[in-house]
């Protein structure tokens, strides 16, 4: 069939458009400088070289950037998800006066555009003495509205018999949460963790604003420094640095793709 | 209450009832306490870092402050008057609207086309869908850096695509006519897979009977798309429209890495202006004013969404 053949051609074209830039990144990162500056370009590196990675690593304190990004991603994700889980549990299982308006207050935070909060949050963090600290990088981001919403909606779908049985057995709320509710919510929990970790790792503008010393920079901001220092003259080094920033999330994506996709479509179609 | 209503009841029973309600009250109080304990950290962070900034911005927007002087100087609505009559601000707003419009239109049209393609029974469609979605979760700063190289007029991939067509490749990011379209291409590349994914989920959720009945009646593929699928996808289109507007209005990392608002002011959007006024020019009052303007614009957009969604529910 002619139509089908055309569809395959388009599909192949789409694949090329999305894979092309990533292939170009990786192949440039492992090319020798002489091979990069060639026209027409070499589609396959003549010789593979790892020189660009060591050049990038030494051009800027990448080890430190890596450490900072890792600390922020791990701690930020842990705190944000803990906030979401505890809040969601409270709203799903506990009584409290004014629960509904309180929940709206938490959800309302989604309506506040992140970019609008930059300057006041910078001033708040500065007045707390948190500029160039992990606290300043992490704490402002651990409030959770969307993740809380997702977790609560999920908790409400769990059968109440199980939590009731736990209560009859004399388990307290925290024990019920830890031993009964969370194990039953693993897919949703993984979804929230993965989405949060990706956000934390990629965060750019906040770390840019709240740090000003090289040793407190994160990878995405470090990339900006590398780019400015190399003055766009050394694409091999810059592409190697870029690959270092991308690779962890690309790996997480390949492993946890199902959860990321699931979480995003869930948020879109329910929200 | 019941205890007082029934004076004839025997004493031991009364005691038991009082003890029981005391216990229940204590239990309830413990539950309230636990609730407060679990919710407080989240609420505190949200209050300080999401709600307080709006109040703080509103205050700062009425002041003149270089962020060094001991205290901001109250100037009333001067910042608003100056901003709203400033030709540079009008240009910024125009660029923001053009940038947002192009990205919204592009991502909806291309995203829907991709979703229709991914909905066909083709081998490898899942893999290509995954590939098109991958850029969405990658660091904007890193994606921007890759595309800087692609747009490089000397050794970039774009030159390899354009030169065979007999055209001269532009120096994209240093050319005030090409910088904004270049940014639009990058954002589309990064976000269109997300739009396609949402549309695909929508397409797969459509009732099949309607489409099949129309096919039996001899309706063409195009007619079935236009008259059946497209109207049923309206709520999803609206959702994507709003989220893309909100996201694009705040776009920052790609602009920061690729153009820094330039060349000149060719790519200075509202979000870049806020950063520039606040953290480069140290003009807190002006930055706060721009923040409030952005907040109001996005609040209107979100409110409209809520209204339309509400009406849709009633309609159903």
């Amino acid at each position: 069939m002619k139509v089908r053949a055309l569809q395959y051609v388009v599909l192949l074209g789409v694949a090329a458009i999305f894979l092309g830039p990533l292939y170009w990144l990786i192949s440039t990162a492992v090319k020798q400088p002489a091979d990069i500056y060639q026209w027409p370009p070499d589609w396959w590196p003549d010789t593979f070289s790892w020189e660009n990675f060591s050049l990038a690593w030494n051009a800027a304190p990448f080890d430190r950037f890596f450490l900072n990004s890792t600390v922020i991603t791990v701690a930020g994700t842990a705190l944000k998800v803990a906030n979401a889980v505890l809040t969601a549990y409270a709203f799903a299982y506990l009584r409290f006066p004014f629960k509904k308006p309180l929940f709206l207050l938490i959800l309302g935070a989604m309506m506040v555009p992140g970019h609008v909060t930059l300057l006041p949050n910078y001033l708040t963090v500065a007045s707390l003495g948190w500029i160039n600290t992990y606290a300043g990088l992490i704490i402002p981001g651990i409030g959770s509205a969307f993740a809380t919403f997702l977790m609560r909606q999920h908790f409400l779908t769990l059968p109440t018999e199980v939590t009731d049985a736990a209560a009859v057995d004399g388990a307290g709320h925290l024990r019920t949460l830890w031993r009964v509710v969370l194990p039953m919510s693993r897919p949703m929990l993984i979804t929230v963790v993965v989405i949060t970790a990706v956000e934390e790792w990629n965060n750019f503008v906040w770390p840019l604003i709240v740090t000003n010393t090289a040793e407190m920079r994160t990878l995405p901001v470090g990339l900006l420094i590398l780019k400015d220092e190399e003055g766009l003259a050394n694409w091999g080094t810059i592409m190697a640095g870029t690959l270092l920033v991308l690779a962890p999330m690309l790996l997480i994506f390949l492993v946890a793709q199902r959860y990321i996709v699931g979480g995003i479509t869930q948020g879109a179609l329910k929200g | 209450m019941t205890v007082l209503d029934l004076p004839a009841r025997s004493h031991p029973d009364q005691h038991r009832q009082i003890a029981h309600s005391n216990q229940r009250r204590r239990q309830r109080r413990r539950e309230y306490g636990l609730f407060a304990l679990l919710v407080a950290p989240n609420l505190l962070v949200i209050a300080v870092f999401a709600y307080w900034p709006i109040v703080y911005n509103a205050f700062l927007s009425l002041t003149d402050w270089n962020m060094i002087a001991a205290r901001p100087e109250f100037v009333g609505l001067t910042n608003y008057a100056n901003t709203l009559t400033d030709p540079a601000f009008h240009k910024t707003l125009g660029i923001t609207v053009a940038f947002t419009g192009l990205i919204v239109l592009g991502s909806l049209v291309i995203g829907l086309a991709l979703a229709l393609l991914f909905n066909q029974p083709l081998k490898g469609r899942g893999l290509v869908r995954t590939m098109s979605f991958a850029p969405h979760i990658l660091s904007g700063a890193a994606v921007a850096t890759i595309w800087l190289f692609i747009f490089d007029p000397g050794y970039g991939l774009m030159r390899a695509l354009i030169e065979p067509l007999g055209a001269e490749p532009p120096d994209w990011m240093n050319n005030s006519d090409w910088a904004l379209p270049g940014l639009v291409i990058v954002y589309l590349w990064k976000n269109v897979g997300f739009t396609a994914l949402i549309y695909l989920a929508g397409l797969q959720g459509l009732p099949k009977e309607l489409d099949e009945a129309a096919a039996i009646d001899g309706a063409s593929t195009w007619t079935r798309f236009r008259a059946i699928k497209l109207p049923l996808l309206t709520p999803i289109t609206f959702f994507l429209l709003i989220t893309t507007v909100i996201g694009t209005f705040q776009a920052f990392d790609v602009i920061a890495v690729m153009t820094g608002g330039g060349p000149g002011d060719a790519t200075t959007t509202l979000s870049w202006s806020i950063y520039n006024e606040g953290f480069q020019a140290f003009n807190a009052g002006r930055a706060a004013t721009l923040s409030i303007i952005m907040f109001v614009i996005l609040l209107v957009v979100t409110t409209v969404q809520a209204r339309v969604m509400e009406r849709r529910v009633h309609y159903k």
Side-chain angles (χ1 to χ4, degrees):
Chain A
M1 279 204 23
K2 251 185 171 170
V3 176
R4 192 92 321 153
L6 191 69
Q7 283 173 343
Y8 272 110
V9 170
V10 176
L11 193 70
L12 220 61
V14 171
I17 288 170
F18 287 101
L19 208 56
L22 294 178
Y23 173 77
W24 188 245
L25 163 79
I26 297 168
S27 65
T28 307
V30 297
K31 273 182 194 170
Q32 287 184 318
D35 295 340
I36 296 169
Y37 299 105
Q38 243 193 58
W39 201 261
D42 258 345
W43 294 103
W44 187 256
D46 291 335
T47 45
F48 286 85
S49 130
W50 306 104
E51 193 189 357
N52 288 323
F53 291 95
S54 58
L55 282 174
W57 201 266
N58 294 324
F62 258 92
D63 47 352
R64 191 57 211 217
F65 300 160
F66 223 98
L67 174 74
N68 293 340
S69 276
T70 308
V71 168
I72 290 160
T73 303
V74 171
T77 304
L79 291 170
K80 188 168 189 165
V81 173
N83 255 343
V85 165
L86 295 178
T87 311
Y89 182 87
F91 277 103
Y93 293 107
L94 297 176
R95 285 172 299 179
F96 197 76
F98 312 114
K99 240 170 85 167
K100 213 169 180 182
L102 266 177
F103 194 59
L104 287 178
L105 196 65
I106 287 176
L107 288 193
M110 282 196 278
M111 303 250 277
V112 180
H115 207 85
V116 169
T117 65
L118 290 180
L119 179 70
N121 282 351
Y122 172 81
L123 295 171
T124 302
V125 163
S127 70
L128 290 167
W130 285 356
I131 300 295
N132 285 321
T133 67
Y134 284 137
L137 282 159
I138 295 167
I139 305 288
I142 64 168
S144 151
F146 181 58
T148 298
F149 175 73
L150 281 182
M151 289 310 304
R152 175 182 168 270
Q153 296 303 95
H154 180 75
F155 288 164
L156 292 178
T157 65
L158 298 179
T160 48
E161 290 84 10
V162 187
T163 43
D164 288 347
V168 169
D169 286 349
H173 280 291
L174 293 180
R175 200 181 160 80
T176 307
L177 169 62
W178 189 250
R179 302 300 281 268
V180 179
V181 173
L182 279 187
M184 285 167 70
S185 311
R186 252 177 90 181
M188 180 51 85
L189 194 64
I190 296 175
T191 301
V192 170
V193 166
V194 171
I195 293 178
T196 309
V198 168
E199 264 169 29
E200 295 276 340
W201 184 271
N202 291 341
N203 199 354
F204 177 78
V205 64
W206 183 247
L208 173 70
I209 287 169
V210 88
T211 65
N212 52 40
T213 58
E215 67 265 24
M216 284 313 289
R217 296 299 202 186
T218 59
L219 276 174
V221 180
L223 199 54
L224 188 67
I225 300 173
L226 179 69
K227 187 205 97 186
D228 287 344
E229 271 177 10
E230 298 291 310
L232 298 189
N234 205 342
W235 280 118
T237 312
I238 296 172
M239 288 298 113
T242 307
L243 191 54
L244 291 173
V245 179
L246 282 189
M249 287 307 112
L250 207 54
L251 287 178
I252 287 186
F253 175 71
L254 293 176
V255 174
Q257 189 238 120
R258 178 162 71 96
Y259 293 104
I260 299 178
V261 167
I264 282 174
T265 40
Q266 202 149 19
L269 299 180
K270 278 190 185 164
Chain B
M1 283 288 269
T2 42
V3 177
L4 295 175
D5 288 342
L6 301 165
R9 281 267 190 183
S10 64
H11 288 285
D13 218 30
Q14 270 185 23
H15 283 306
R16 201 184 309 150
Q17 249 175 325
I18 291 168
H20 189 65
S21 80
N22 272 346
Q23 195 198 340
R24 266 176 46 184
R25 202 172 302 142
R26 241 196 338 266
Q27 205 180 1
R28 175 172 296 188
R29 210 176 302 144
R30 279 227 325 253
E31 203 172 318
Y32 285 3
L34 183 63
F35 182 98
L37 201 68
L38 295 183
V39 172
N42 200 3
L43 206 55
L44 182 72
V45 177
I46 285 176
V48 174
F49 293 107
Y51 286 120
W52 171 242
I54 303 299
V55 180
Y56 204 169
N57 262 330
F59 160 71
L60 284 173
S61 74
L62 304 175
T63 70
D64 185 16
W65 189 34
N66 60 8
M67 293 164 78
I68 298 163
R71 62 181 62 237
E73 183 196 342
F74 186 79
V75 295
L77 293 172
T78 314
N79 286 323
Y80 289 94
N82 287 345
T83 303
L84 295 172
T85 55
D86 182 4
F89 172 72
H90 296 158
K91 190 171 178 198
T92 297
L93 212 54
I95 289 170
T96 311
V97 170
F99 178 66
T100 307
L102 285 171
I103 289 174
V104 167
L105 192 71
S107 58
L108 289 186
V109 172
I110 302 169
L112 181 56
L114 282 182
L116 290 168
L117 182 71
F118 296 155
N119 204 27
Q120 297 294 319
L122 302 170
K123 278 192 191 106
R125 62 180 176 168
L127 188 67
V128 180
R129 194 204 68 188
T130 306
M131 275 155 59
S132 75
F133 184 70
H136 182 73
I137 61 114
L138 297 179
S139 147
V143 164
T145 314
I146 299 173
W147 278 87
L148 266 182
F149 184 36
I150 292 174
F151 283 141
D152 182 287
Y155 303 96
L157 207 50
M158 273 294 182
R159 185 185 161 194
L161 291 177
I162 289 175
E163 245 176 17
L165 304 174
E168 181 88 2
D171 187 359
W172 291 84
M173 292 300 139
N174 293 313
N175 181 324
S176 44
D177 291 332
W178 287 96
L180 196 70
L183 288 179
V184 170
I185 292 174
V186 178
Y187 272 102
L188 286 178
W189 184 79
K190 194 171 184 325
N191 290 324
V192 89
F194 167 78
T195 316
L197 183 77
I198 305 294
Y199 264 135
L200 184 63
L203 280 173
Q204 289 172 349
L206 294 184
K208 283 198 171 60
E209 302 79 24
L210 223 57
D211 195 49
E212 280 164 4
I216 290 166
D217 286 347
S220 70
T221 312
W222 170 247
T223 310
R224 278 182 287 147
F225 169 70
R226 199 180 45 80
I228 298 173
K229 290 189 180 129
L230 207 53
L232 287 173
L233 288 174
T234 308
I236 289 180
T237 304
F238 202 72
F239 166 83
L240 286 171
L241 180 75
I242 301 295
T243 49
T244 313
V245 167
I246 294 174
T248 314
F249 243 80
Q250 300 185 74
F252 183 80
D253 42 14
V254 174
I255 299 177
V257 172
M258 294 190 76
T259 66
D265 55 2
T267 59
T268 297
T269 59
L270 193 49
S271 66
W272 179 264
S273 284
I274 293 175
Y275 171 77
N276 195 36
E277 287 289 350
F279 299 98
Q280 312 256 327
F282 301 108
N283 193 342
R286 191 73 185 257
T289 306
L290 293 170
S291 298
I292 292 292
I293 291 172
M294 182 190 262
F295 177 63
V296 171
I297 294 174
L298 293 181
L299 193 66
V300 169
V301 169
T302 319
T303 313
V304 169
Q305 178 197 23
R307 282 282 156 77
V308 174
M309 285 301 181
E310 217 169 90
R311 196 177 304 158
R312 184 176 69 84
V313 172
H314 283 303
Y315 183 69
K316 266 188 171 174

